[in-house]
Amino acid sequence: MRTVTQASASLTARGISKNFSGVRALDGVDIDLPAGRVTALMGENGAGKSTLLKILSGDHLPDAGEIEIGGETVSFQTPFDARSAGLRVIAQEPEIVPHVSVAENIYLGALPSGRLGRVSQRAIEEQARQDLERFGFGHLLDPARLGVELSPAQRQIVEIVRCLIDEPQVICFDEPTSSLSDHETDVLFELIARLRDEGRAVGYVSHRMHEIFRIADTVTVLRDGRLIGSREVTDTTEGEIVKMMVGRDLTSMYDRDRREPGAPALELEDVTTDDVTGVSLTVHHGEVVALAGLVGAGRTELALAIAGDRPVRSGVIKVEGTPRQFGSPREAIAAGIALAPEERKADALVMVRTVRDNIALAVLGSLSRFGFVKARREKDLADRYIEQLHIRTPSAAQLVQNLSGGNQQKVVLARWLARDAGILILDEPTRGVDVGAKAEIYQIIDELASRGVAVLVISSELPEVLGLADRVVVMQNGRVTGELHHTEATEERILTLAIADHLSDEGATS
Amino acid sequence: MTATPVAPTVEGAPPRERGWRRILRAIGVQNLSLVAAIAVLVLVIGSQNSAFYLTSNLKTIGMAVTISGLLAVVQTVVIIMGGIDLSVGSVAGLASVASAMLFTSFGSGVSLIGALAIGAVCGVISGSVVVFGRVTPMIATLAGLIGYKGIAQLVSDGRAQGYTGADPLYVFLARGSVLGIPTLIWILALVAAALHVMLRYTRMGRNIYAVGGNDTAARLSGIDINRYILGVFALAGTVAALAGVLITARTGSGQPVSGSEGLEFQSITAAALGGVALRGGKGSIGGTILAVILLGILLNGMSLLGVNPFWQNIAQGTLLVSAVIIQQLRNGERRVGLPK
Ligand SMILES: Nc1ncnc2c1ncn2[C@@H]1O[C@H](COP(=O)(O)OP(=O)(O)OP(=O)(O)O)[C@@H](O)[C@H]1O
Ligand SMILES: [Mg+2]
């Protein structure tokens, strides 16, 4: 194992350019990550942030440009080179080995072994426990769990710990909080502050403005692969940063006119599944209901049960007033329920297929005649959503795996918006999406509601919940702990219901 | 606000020829390199022995690749769906025996339909083991490879069956021609064209790619994935049985093993060479057909040039491995761990 070195190396990169077969991802970008400071990297979806970090981590070779660490020019041919130079990047989409334990995942490639190279399961689990404890995640993750059993948040924690164990001097985080709940985010921020105080250089990518003001010292903005500028956090404003990112002013993103809701579209009465217990809730036509709660409260599992992908053990689900039992997502979709799942890579996207195929996937039936897909209508549909959601792609024929994270998320949304369903369930719809596109998505949700669609939004971002919802249903530990009308919903009240110890249904009801 | 226009480069990086790169991408660099390999091979073999260019020799190549070609195109569909079918050779053997035995008792019409039906049933059995028994396609069809071969040997007592050499239908299949092109080549061309159209232009084809690319996403998008798995394995069984009937036609009798052994691996070789990704979701019939032609010319050329036949397998293995290495390096695959 490496010994702890006194960290004091800064990173400078000059004139970094990168092309992907005709797509200019980075164009002569200069960036500084000074030691002992947190530098936030911001920009719209597809601006080139992840590409820049992948170049720093040796995942991609730059077409041009130089990188210096602590004054010495370095050149990374592989991620291993970057690692030995003391640089680690915590990936946006962590790779976790499914069938081995958390401990083995953490020490991947550097398994501590005893005499004769024997790896003792007990010993590495113990060491993993200590390392998790050391970084403040001890209570959040059991080192003996298998990779497959981990939630997105836990996968992210594994990735973070994995990168920190060899004491890198320069550490970059690519949207680490997009799958973390508030509590885990707090733990992470404490950790980042500690890393900074130890004199390490920290790079931080996020679309969440309030995080930037909380954790960063400097903000560097990219747009269309170019460096726009850097600002000290102490003498800039949210408005200025947004303007640098999108090139124009953006005003109040949240808030919609609430209307009188129509008839009930989706009613759950005392629904129990393997993960949730006795859930009752109603979504009316023309209404946006937010499902709030901590990560792991059972919201995703509830959504999957409504969409026919998990068995309902007891209770009734009514669609348009009629009790229904769905044996498969196929039946739920036919009944007018659309679910845009939370995990885009695992559950939603066919990465090796094109943007067009992915958008059209759930509506192929209506685009075909006699089983033949009408290529023209399919392309028109895709182009329409590419424009409406500002999906940044050279064409509809681009493979989804070549899109940036936020743009992939928009493809997932496009597929389910195209379904034109009467009941739309969106699980974390704006995860990884930039501010401009978020505003766009809120507008679309509002328009759908005004046309009478019943919308159920699962979101862990409280400002989003408060801005969008007519009503907020709060869950904790697989149960509904309360329901708040938008006039009475505040961050504090939602949080209280989400973390309250007592599981009473009295809470606050409208 | 989609792609940024290509700005003049700032430093270092040379500007890319966007136009021809895009055209290349449309045809598929993969396919182009197969075409190039075929061209080189044709020139080399032709310069050594001009008999290679004779129409009769081209027909010989075509007829020689029909049977393995049928299995390769249907294997392509199975692999794109994320599966694999190791039992196609055994099903062909079983269908060959069955067609000859049914022919002896009931005549050619019944024997043809009966053999195809048996193939379909074999496919449905494999598919059911996969879907309902939760066995991976590799294991399920490995069992099929062994089991169906056993059944073929059992019913035939391990010997060639029947004699179809005098029947007009079988003679037409084996040696007939339409518009000057041998029936065998027609059959492969029609099956390949039908599968190509299915994969490329129909809803069914799109869904097969989706199931292979990400089955959870396909399921949550309302695709009945079980039906697709059963359907595709049934299709594979049926086409394999068609290949079996052609084995009977060409040899004049039902062959339990000798005409079909090893065909499953040849079909996978051709699919992989044609650019079909073994993890599913990627590939095309066109690529596989080019690979089948390349392999056919290679084998034909080697025998024309009098190369020791044992070299043929070595050549095929080398070709497969070098093709895949080139593909992976082109993809910029990182040289770390087990490849994807
Ligand atoms: N392998 C690739 N092939 C082709 N284009 C790519 C590839 N990787 C990235 N790109 C393109 O490069 C551009 C920059 O992508 P990048 O992932 O760096 O964006 P980002 O700033 O991280 O966005 P997000 O906020 O959505 O994560 C995008 O237009 C993307 O489509
Ligand atoms: Mg990114």
Side-chain angles (χ1 to χ4, degrees), chain A residues 18-21 23-26 42-54 60 92 174-175 205-207 222 225 344 392-394 398-408 410 432-434, chain B residues 2-4:
Chain A
K18 180 76 186 170
N19 266 312
F20 293 105
S21 50
V23 178
R24 174 152 295 239
L26 290 175
M42 297 204 72
E44 288 180 290
N45 295 131
K49 307 176 296 290
S50 298
T51 306
L52 184 57
L53 295 193
K54 281 185 188 152
H60 287 322
Q92 190 167 7
D174 196 354
E175 297 192 41
V205 174
S206 174
H207 290 291
L222 294 182
R344 53 181 176 246
R392 199 186 138 109
T393 171
Q398 177 75 305
L399 298 186
V400 165
Q401 65 187 5
N402 291 341
L403 261 51
S404 78
N407 286 301
Q408 291 177 351
K410 295 182 204 169
V433 167
D434 66 49
Chain B
T2 50
T4 29

Side-chain angles (χ1 to χ4, degrees), chain A residues 9-142:
Chain A
S10 304
L11 179 142
T12 24
R14 290 286 168 264
I16 305 284
S17 293
K18 180 76 186 170
N19 266 312
F20 293 105
S21 50
V23 178
R24 174 152 295 239
L26 290 175
D27 187 358
V29 169
D30 299 339
I31 183 161
D32 291 301
L33 300 180
R37 290 177 72 83
V38 178
T39 309
L41 200 55
M42 297 204 72
E44 288 180 290
N45 295 131
K49 307 176 296 290
S50 298
T51 306
L52 184 57
L53 295 193
K54 281 185 188 152
I55 286 174
L56 296 185
S57 69
D59 258 335
H60 287 322
L61 291 181
D63 296 339
E66 284 201 337
I67 304 172
E68 284 182 10
I69 293 183
E72 276 175 58
T73 304
V74 289
S75 152
F76 303 142
Q77 301 298 318
T78 69
F80 192 77
D81 295 346
R83 217 172 135 170
S84 8
L87 197 159
R88 290 300 293 255
V89 172
I90 288 149
Q92 190 167 7
E93 309 268 2
E95 297 284 350
I96 301 293
V97 185
H99 297 292
V100 307
S101 70
V102 164
E104 284 159 287
N105 264 295
I106 289 177
Y107 303 114
L108 210 60
L111 275 181
S113 53
R115 275 199 320 147
L116 305 174
R118 204 178 73 92
V119 175
S120 148
Q121 188 68 28
R122 179 101 54 77
I124 67 164
E125 273 175 24
E126 185 46 42
Q127 181 163 359
R129 206 178 308 279
Q130 284 170 17
D131 278 332
L132 283 166
E133 203 61 58
R134 181 154 66 95
F135 296 120
F137 296 115
H139 59 299
L140 292 172
L141 198 51
D142 171 7

